[in-house]
Amino acid sequence: MASNVNETNDVTLTKPIRCIVKLGGAAITCKNELEKINEENLEIVSSQLRQTMISSENVVSLDWSKRPGTSDISCNVDSFGDQLSFDANKFIVVHGAGSFGHFQASKSGVHKGGMDQPLVKAGFVATRISVTTLNLEIVRALAREGIPSIGMSPFSCGWSTSGRNIASADLPAVAKAIESGFIPVLHGDAVFDDIQGCTILSGDVIIRHLAEHLKPEYVVFLTDVFGVYDRPPSEPYAVLLKEIAVSEDGSWSVIKPTLQDMNKQVEITVAAHDTTGGMVTKISEAAMIAKLGIDVYIVKAATSHSLRVLSGEVRGNVPDDWLGTVIRRSSR
Amino acid sequence: MASNVNETNDVTLTKPIRCIVKLGGAAITCKNELEKINEENLEIVSSQLRQTMISSENVVSLDWSKRPGTSDISCNVDSFGDQLSFDANKFIVVHGAGSFGHFQASKSGVHKGGMDQPLVKAGFVATRISVTTLNLEIVRALAREGIPSIGMSPFSCGWSTSGRNIASADLPAVAKAIESGFIPVLHGDAVFDDIQGCTILSGDVIIRHLAEHLKPEYVVFLTDVFGVYDRPPSEPYAVLLKEIAVSEDGSWSVIKPTLQDMNKQVEITVAAHDTTGGMVTKISEAAMIAKLGIDVYIVKAATSHSLRVLSGEVRGNVPDDWLGTVIRRSSR
């Protein structure tokens, strides 16, 4: 897929990126209620990201805007002495759409293209309004924790596709934002497609592209389940797969746990309304990242397990009491 | 100024751009109340833009998101038959910040640069949150009128400066959005600056740059006064200057009305909190656009005068009953 990419710009970073984090749509929005943020989860996720990104204990909000229903702006300029540092570890945040955008995209068929149809063109506008609304709220939630977050909407940042594969992306802009000490916040978005006119570019595909070109130390997917299971996690006897190895040819094998019946293909659930693919896309994108030699962790958001993996504690040997899935390149 | 610009991309348009419209911050926000949109004005402005952009009488909203305080999404998919066309005249919308962004920018000094200072870096984040909040609301107001509006935040779209002059801008992305039938909506924004680290790029400077490279037929500034006056319009005996000619060397002369005391320099008011300059910037940017041979109209937003000028009625000879200021290249 990457061979199609028409990128003339080399990206150089003075220090490698530590981590690319996916905030899964299901983890930060209420999947069954249209355009509703899971405020509680988002707050915990933002706090965990602050703890792992910023050394300072001091939390000073960088969101100086009015909150809905209030008339005050809180901005304590005195807090920003020279002592205060919010030098952040180099992270990139990418979020999904959850209950934002999917309704608009699936109603209009934006993912299938055809911009000459009024409904598709309308859906393109409506989808972008919905996903940028969510992006702004996530940027604000991170900023309230003192994280210097900067919204970088893929459509605006030059991301486009060709036959639904990535054709262009302004990676130097992402690198420049990181070098300047900001945390870029990207998201699944409606974009132009050279062949079919337009499509939906999923957050998972964005992450794979960023990982391939910016080579982070590790990638974390924060989701609403503990990891990848051998069958839909709602079913009885579903087993959490703790370690998966990906071989050269792209096939996977389960390293942990070692069960007899693990030869059968791992079953996965795809929610019918998920226009960009559910676990199927996630696992196959994760496998492609792992093949690059970058460890991928899939973990439940806003838990002690997500905090441990974000902070890097789980790297190397996975502790027995850690719940989540690691996807790694096969060492054979 | 433009000679510094490092732009490798040629921009080609199949049809010229009809008009670049500035929605002045003072016209669409409540200047004296922090982060408050002037909803009434914004609604009228959006409706006037629809009337001048789209031939169809049928207004079908392209904003399918929930409005604050409501739980419903209104999306009438049946309206989008093949008959429906919202083929728009080629317009670009650029808006100012008004009571959004200025507080955050002036508190922190983002316009003066110095990103190594925590306060400036914090202000950069806070300013972008505030101006992108306004941008989203304007995109939504236009979309509710059936205008296929697409937010294109300058920071994300590759705009940067060098010593506060424009150093780069992804104009091909703007052109591509227009060619695809969308109305790009840009705004004054916090951007990176090669020399001082960061600055505020004003909507007026963006308009001049767009006008220079995309050559619209005319440019309209929608503001909160009827046009340019010979002294602050709040003063008694202030006279509206209806036609100003700009000569090669950049000096202006008032063509209409012909007053005896017009030799003295036109007085202007600059609100103290306006970090990007008030009327001074506007007139000097307008003069630079007019020097390119592109007529510039400064007119009060949400009036019959703004509707007439947007529709192109005022082009050529300015009717006596039209209130506003035209700035043109001197014919001498």
PDB file of all heavy atoms in Angstrom, chain B residues 195-219:
ATOM      1  N   ILE B 195      11.220  33.030  11.922  1.00  0.00           N
ATOM      2  CA  ILE B 195      12.177  33.866  12.643  1.00  0.00           C
ATOM      3  C   ILE B 195      11.820  33.988  14.118  1.00  0.00           C
ATOM      4  O   ILE B 195      12.618  33.667  14.992  1.00  0.00           O
ATOM      5  CB  ILE B 195      12.284  35.258  11.975  1.00  0.00           C
ATOM      6  CG1 ILE B 195      12.889  35.088  10.576  1.00  0.00           C
ATOM      7  CG2 ILE B 195      13.129  36.202  12.827  1.00  0.00           C
ATOM      8  CD1 ILE B 195      12.795  36.304   9.698  1.00  0.00           C
ATOM      9  N   GLN B 196      10.592  34.401  14.428  1.00  0.00           N
ATOM     10  CA  GLN B 196      10.246  34.628  15.827  1.00  0.00           C
ATOM     11  C   GLN B 196       9.534  33.446  16.489  1.00  0.00           C
ATOM     12  O   GLN B 196       9.088  33.556  17.620  1.00  0.00           O
ATOM     13  CB  GLN B 196       9.455  35.935  15.976  1.00  0.00           C
ATOM     14  CG  GLN B 196       8.086  35.927  15.290  1.00  0.00           C
ATOM     15  CD  GLN B 196       7.338  37.242  15.508  1.00  0.00           C
ATOM     16  OE1 GLN B 196       7.891  38.324  15.375  1.00  0.00           O
ATOM     17  NE2 GLN B 196       6.068  37.149  15.883  1.00  0.00           N
ATOM     18  N   GLY B 197       9.435  32.332  15.787  1.00  0.00           N
ATOM     19  CA  GLY B 197       8.847  31.126  16.386  1.00  0.00           C
ATOM     20  C   GLY B 197       7.367  30.966  16.096  1.00  0.00           C
ATOM     21  O   GLY B 197       6.931  29.926  15.632  1.00  0.00           O
ATOM     22  N   CYS B 198       6.600  32.019  16.408  1.00  0.00           N
ATOM     23  CA  CYS B 198       5.162  31.968  16.125  1.00  0.00           C
ATOM     24  C   CYS B 198       4.637  33.386  15.991  1.00  0.00           C
ATOM     25  O   CYS B 198       5.307  34.354  16.368  1.00  0.00           O
ATOM     26  CB  CYS B 198       4.408  31.228  17.232  1.00  0.00           C
ATOM     27  SG  CYS B 198       4.545  32.004  18.853  1.00  0.00           S
ATOM     28  N   THR B 199       3.447  33.503  15.477  1.00  0.00           N
ATOM     29  CA  THR B 199       2.788  34.811  15.414  1.00  0.00           C
ATOM     30  C   THR B 199       1.301  34.602  15.156  1.00  0.00           C
ATOM     31  O   THR B 199       0.828  33.466  15.073  1.00  0.00           O
ATOM     32  CB  THR B 199       3.409  35.726  14.326  1.00  0.00           C
ATOM     33  OG1 THR B 199       2.924  37.067  14.522  1.00  0.00           O
ATOM     34  CG2 THR B 199       3.031  35.278  12.913  1.00  0.00           C
ATOM     35  N   ILE B 200       0.577  35.717  15.047  1.00  0.00           N
ATOM     36  CA  ILE B 200      -0.825  35.663  14.635  1.00  0.00           C
ATOM     37  C   ILE B 200      -0.884  36.117  13.184  1.00  0.00           C
ATOM     38  O   ILE B 200      -0.391  37.197  12.835  1.00  0.00           O
ATOM     39  CB  ILE B 200      -1.691  36.598  15.507  1.00  0.00           C
ATOM     40  CG1 ILE B 200      -1.666  36.177  16.976  1.00  0.00           C
ATOM     41  CG2 ILE B 200      -3.128  36.627  14.984  1.00  0.00           C
ATOM     42  CD1 ILE B 200      -2.336  34.857  17.280  1.00  0.00           C
ATOM     43  N   LEU B 201      -1.465  35.278  12.356  1.00  0.00           N
ATOM     44  CA  LEU B 201      -1.680  35.614  10.954  1.00  0.00           C
ATOM     45  C   LEU B 201      -3.121  36.113  10.844  1.00  0.00           C
ATOM     46  O   LEU B 201      -4.053  35.374  11.133  1.00  0.00           O
ATOM     47  CB  LEU B 201      -1.470  34.361  10.098  1.00  0.00           C
ATOM     48  CG  LEU B 201      -1.739  34.464   8.599  1.00  0.00           C
ATOM     49  CD1 LEU B 201      -0.805  35.471   7.938  1.00  0.00           C
ATOM     50  CD2 LEU B 201      -1.588  33.093   7.948  1.00  0.00           C
ATOM     51  N   SER B 202      -3.282  37.375  10.458  1.00  0.00           N
ATOM     52  CA  SER B 202      -4.634  37.940  10.463  1.00  0.00           C
ATOM     53  C   SER B 202      -5.409  37.529   9.219  1.00  0.00           C
ATOM     54  O   SER B 202      -4.830  37.246   8.165  1.00  0.00           O
ATOM     55  CB  SER B 202      -4.572  39.466  10.552  1.00  0.00           C
ATOM     56  OG  SER B 202      -4.314  40.010   9.268  1.00  0.00           O
ATOM     57  N   GLY B 203      -6.717  37.515   9.341  1.00  0.00           N
ATOM     58  CA  GLY B 203      -7.583  37.210   8.211  1.00  0.00           C
ATOM     59  C   GLY B 203      -7.354  38.168   7.052  1.00  0.00           C
ATOM     60  O   GLY B 203      -7.426  37.766   5.885  1.00  0.00           O
ATOM     61  N   ASP B 204      -7.048  39.421   7.353  1.00  0.00           N
ATOM     62  CA  ASP B 204      -6.835  40.406   6.286  1.00  0.00           C
ATOM     63  C   ASP B 204      -5.594  40.085   5.460  1.00  0.00           C
ATOM     64  O   ASP B 204      -5.594  40.236   4.237  1.00  0.00           O
ATOM     65  CB  ASP B 204      -6.727  41.820   6.888  1.00  0.00           C
ATOM     66  CG  ASP B 204      -8.053  42.264   7.504  1.00  0.00           C
ATOM     67  OD1 ASP B 204      -9.104  41.791   7.037  1.00  0.00           O
ATOM     68  OD2 ASP B 204      -8.025  43.068   8.446  1.00  0.00           O
ATOM     69  N   VAL B 205      -4.550  39.642   6.115  1.00  0.00           N
ATOM     70  CA  VAL B 205      -3.328  39.277   5.395  1.00  0.00           C
ATOM     71  C   VAL B 205      -3.566  38.016   4.558  1.00  0.00           C
ATOM     72  O   VAL B 205      -3.100  37.909   3.423  1.00  0.00           O
ATOM     73  CB  VAL B 205      -2.148  39.091   6.388  1.00  0.00           C
ATOM     74  CG1 VAL B 205      -0.923  38.559   5.676  1.00  0.00           C
ATOM     75  CG2 VAL B 205      -1.830  40.411   7.088  1.00  0.00           C
ATOM     76  N   ILE B 206      -4.333  37.094   5.112  1.00  0.00           N
ATOM     77  CA  ILE B 206      -4.696  35.876   4.357  1.00  0.00           C
ATOM     78  C   ILE B 206      -5.442  36.262   3.082  1.00  0.00           C
ATOM     79  O   ILE B 206      -5.167  35.739   1.998  1.00  0.00           O
ATOM     80  CB  ILE B 206      -5.578  34.951   5.234  1.00  0.00           C
ATOM     81  CG1 ILE B 206      -4.742  34.334   6.357  1.00  0.00           C
ATOM     82  CG2 ILE B 206      -6.226  33.853   4.392  1.00  0.00           C
ATOM     83  CD1 ILE B 206      -5.551  33.592   7.403  1.00  0.00           C
ATOM     84  N   ILE B 207      -6.368  37.186   3.204  1.00  0.00           N
ATOM     85  CA  ILE B 207      -7.168  37.608   2.044  1.00  0.00           C
ATOM     86  C   ILE B 207      -6.276  38.228   0.978  1.00  0.00           C
ATOM     87  O   ILE B 207      -6.427  37.936  -0.210  1.00  0.00           O
ATOM     88  CB  ILE B 207      -8.264  38.603   2.482  1.00  0.00           C
ATOM     89  CG1 ILE B 207      -9.328  37.831   3.244  1.00  0.00           C
ATOM     90  CG2 ILE B 207      -8.851  39.337   1.279  1.00  0.00           C
ATOM     91  CD1 ILE B 207     -10.623  38.550   3.411  1.00  0.00           C
ATOM     92  N   ARG B 208      -5.342  39.063   1.389  1.00  0.00           N
ATOM     93  CA  ARG B 208      -4.475  39.669   0.386  1.00  0.00           C
ATOM     94  C   ARG B 208      -3.682  38.600  -0.358  1.00  0.00           C
ATOM     95  O   ARG B 208      -3.541  38.623  -1.581  1.00  0.00           O
ATOM     96  CB  ARG B 208      -3.505  40.687   1.004  1.00  0.00           C
ATOM     97  CG  ARG B 208      -2.698  41.374  -0.093  1.00  0.00           C
ATOM     98  CD  ARG B 208      -1.547  42.225   0.363  1.00  0.00           C
ATOM     99  NE  ARG B 208      -0.819  41.794   1.513  1.00  0.00           N
ATOM    100  CZ  ARG B 208       0.162  40.888   1.505  1.00  0.00           C
ATOM    101  NH1 ARG B 208       0.495  40.256   0.393  1.00  0.00           N
ATOM    102  NH2 ARG B 208       0.797  40.590   2.622  1.00  0.00           N
ATOM    103  N   HIS B 209      -3.175  37.625   0.387  1.00  0.00           N
ATOM    104  CA  HIS B 209      -2.387  36.558  -0.219  1.00  0.00           C
ATOM    105  C   HIS B 209      -3.243  35.731  -1.178  1.00  0.00           C
ATOM    106  O   HIS B 209      -2.810  35.422  -2.295  1.00  0.00           O
ATOM    107  CB  HIS B 209      -1.806  35.677   0.888  1.00  0.00           C
ATOM    108  CG  HIS B 209      -0.786  34.697   0.409  1.00  0.00           C
ATOM    109  ND1 HIS B 209       0.504  35.070   0.068  1.00  0.00           N
ATOM    110  CD2 HIS B 209      -0.853  33.364   0.196  1.00  0.00           C
ATOM    111  CE1 HIS B 209       1.173  33.997  -0.337  1.00  0.00           C
ATOM    112  NE2 HIS B 209       0.371  32.953  -0.267  1.00  0.00           N
ATOM    113  N   LEU B 210      -4.441  35.386  -0.754  1.00  0.00           N
ATOM    114  CA  LEU B 210      -5.345  34.619  -1.622  1.00  0.00           C
ATOM    115  C   LEU B 210      -5.688  35.422  -2.871  1.00  0.00           C
ATOM    116  O   LEU B 210      -5.716  34.882  -3.989  1.00  0.00           O
ATOM    117  CB  LEU B 210      -6.643  34.268  -0.876  1.00  0.00           C
ATOM    118  CG  LEU B 210      -6.547  33.249   0.262  1.00  0.00           C
ATOM    119  CD1 LEU B 210      -7.874  33.171   1.015  1.00  0.00           C
ATOM    120  CD2 LEU B 210      -6.166  31.867  -0.275  1.00  0.00           C
ATOM    121  N   ALA B 211      -5.960  36.709  -2.690  1.00  0.00           N
ATOM    122  CA  ALA B 211      -6.350  37.564  -3.824  1.00  0.00           C
ATOM    123  C   ALA B 211      -5.212  37.652  -4.836  1.00  0.00           C
ATOM    124  O   ALA B 211      -5.420  37.547  -6.049  1.00  0.00           O
ATOM    125  CB  ALA B 211      -6.727  38.956  -3.322  1.00  0.00           C
ATOM    126  N   GLU B 212      -4.004  37.800  -4.307  1.00  0.00           N
ATOM    127  CA  GLU B 212      -2.833  37.937  -5.159  1.00  0.00           C
ATOM    128  C   GLU B 212      -2.638  36.694  -6.031  1.00  0.00           C
ATOM    129  O   GLU B 212      -2.304  36.789  -7.208  1.00  0.00           O
ATOM    130  CB  GLU B 212      -1.628  38.120  -4.234  1.00  0.00           C
ATOM    131  CG  GLU B 212      -0.411  38.732  -4.846  1.00  0.00           C
ATOM    132  CD  GLU B 212       0.624  38.998  -3.738  1.00  0.00           C
ATOM    133  OE1 GLU B 212       0.253  39.548  -2.680  1.00  0.00           O
ATOM    134  OE2 GLU B 212       1.776  38.622  -3.942  1.00  0.00           O
ATOM    135  N   HIS B 213      -2.863  35.516  -5.443  1.00  0.00           N
ATOM    136  CA  HIS B 213      -2.547  34.278  -6.154  1.00  0.00           C
ATOM    137  C   HIS B 213      -3.749  33.664  -6.870  1.00  0.00           C
ATOM    138  O   HIS B 213      -3.573  32.943  -7.841  1.00  0.00           O
ATOM    139  CB  HIS B 213      -1.940  33.259  -5.186  1.00  0.00           C
ATOM    140  CG  HIS B 213      -0.579  33.673  -4.712  1.00  0.00           C
ATOM    141  ND1 HIS B 213       0.573  33.302  -5.360  1.00  0.00           N
ATOM    142  CD2 HIS B 213      -0.198  34.475  -3.700  1.00  0.00           C
ATOM    143  CE1 HIS B 213       1.611  33.835  -4.740  1.00  0.00           C
ATOM    144  NE2 HIS B 213       1.172  34.551  -3.725  1.00  0.00           N
ATOM    145  N   LEU B 214      -4.948  33.914  -6.382  1.00  0.00           N
ATOM    146  CA  LEU B 214      -6.117  33.262  -6.981  1.00  0.00           C
ATOM    147  C   LEU B 214      -6.960  34.230  -7.798  1.00  0.00           C
ATOM    148  O   LEU B 214      -7.923  33.811  -8.443  1.00  0.00           O
ATOM    149  CB  LEU B 214      -6.973  32.582  -5.894  1.00  0.00           C
ATOM    150  CG  LEU B 214      -6.257  31.515  -5.049  1.00  0.00           C
ATOM    151  CD1 LEU B 214      -7.199  30.952  -3.987  1.00  0.00           C
ATOM    152  CD2 LEU B 214      -5.712  30.373  -5.917  1.00  0.00           C
ATOM    153  N   LYS B 215      -6.613  35.521  -7.765  1.00  0.00           N
ATOM    154  CA  LYS B 215      -7.235  36.531  -8.617  1.00  0.00           C
ATOM    155  C   LYS B 215      -8.766  36.460  -8.690  1.00  0.00           C
ATOM    156  O   LYS B 215      -9.333  36.156  -9.750  1.00  0.00           O
ATOM    157  CB  LYS B 215      -6.672  36.412 -10.053  1.00  0.00           C
ATOM    158  CG  LYS B 215      -5.161  36.600 -10.176  1.00  0.00           C
ATOM    159  CD  LYS B 215      -4.784  38.069 -10.295  1.00  0.00           C
ATOM    160  CE  LYS B 215      -3.317  38.267 -10.632  1.00  0.00           C
ATOM    161  NZ  LYS B 215      -2.418  37.719  -9.585  1.00  0.00           N
ATOM    162  N   PRO B 216      -9.445  36.745  -7.585  1.00  0.00           N
ATOM    163  CA  PRO B 216     -10.906  36.763  -7.620  1.00  0.00           C
ATOM    164  C   PRO B 216     -11.394  37.992  -8.398  1.00  0.00           C
ATOM    165  O   PRO B 216     -10.625  38.937  -8.613  1.00  0.00           O
ATOM    166  CB  PRO B 216     -11.282  36.910  -6.144  1.00  0.00           C
ATOM    167  CG  PRO B 216     -10.145  37.695  -5.575  1.00  0.00           C
ATOM    168  CD  PRO B 216      -8.912  37.188  -6.287  1.00  0.00           C
ATOM    169  N   GLU B 217     -12.658  37.952  -8.822  1.00  0.00           N
ATOM    170  CA  GLU B 217     -13.199  39.114  -9.526  1.00  0.00           C
ATOM    171  C   GLU B 217     -13.308  40.315  -8.590  1.00  0.00           C
ATOM    172  O   GLU B 217     -13.055  41.440  -8.986  1.00  0.00           O
ATOM    173  CB  GLU B 217     -14.564  38.755 -10.126  1.00  0.00           C
ATOM    174  CG  GLU B 217     -14.431  37.701 -11.235  1.00  0.00           C
ATOM    175  CD  GLU B 217     -15.789  37.202 -11.714  1.00  0.00           C
ATOM    176  OE1 GLU B 217     -16.813  37.889 -11.501  1.00  0.00           O
ATOM    177  OE2 GLU B 217     -15.826  36.108 -12.301  1.00  0.00           O
ATOM    178  N   TYR B 218     -13.715  40.071  -7.346  1.00  0.00           N
ATOM    179  CA  TYR B 218     -13.761  41.171  -6.372  1.00  0.00           C
ATOM    180  C   TYR B 218     -13.667  40.626  -4.954  1.00  0.00           C
ATOM    181  O   TYR B 218     -13.791  39.418  -4.726  1.00  0.00           O
ATOM    182  CB  TYR B 218     -15.020  42.047  -6.545  1.00  0.00           C
ATOM    183  CG  TYR B 218     -16.339  41.312  -6.527  1.00  0.00           C
ATOM    184  CD1 TYR B 218     -17.169  41.352  -5.411  1.00  0.00           C
ATOM    185  CD2 TYR B 218     -16.776  40.594  -7.637  1.00  0.00           C
ATOM    186  CE1 TYR B 218     -18.394  40.683  -5.391  1.00  0.00           C
ATOM    187  CE2 TYR B 218     -17.996  39.926  -7.626  1.00  0.00           C
ATOM    188  CZ  TYR B 218     -18.794  39.962  -6.503  1.00  0.00           C
ATOM    189  OH  TYR B 218     -19.997  39.286  -6.494  1.00  0.00           O
ATOM    190  N   VAL B 219     -13.413  41.540  -4.027  1.00  0.00           N
ATOM    191  CA  VAL B 219     -13.238  41.183  -2.615  1.00  0.00           C
ATOM    192  C   VAL B 219     -14.193  42.034  -1.786  1.00  0.00           C
ATOM    193  O   VAL B 219     -14.325  43.230  -2.031  1.00  0.00           O
ATOM    194  CB  VAL B 219     -11.777  41.434  -2.168  1.00  0.00           C
ATOM    195  CG1 VAL B 219     -11.631  41.278  -0.654  1.00  0.00           C
ATOM    196  CG2 VAL B 219     -10.821  40.462  -2.881  1.00  0.00           C
TER     197      VAL B 219
END
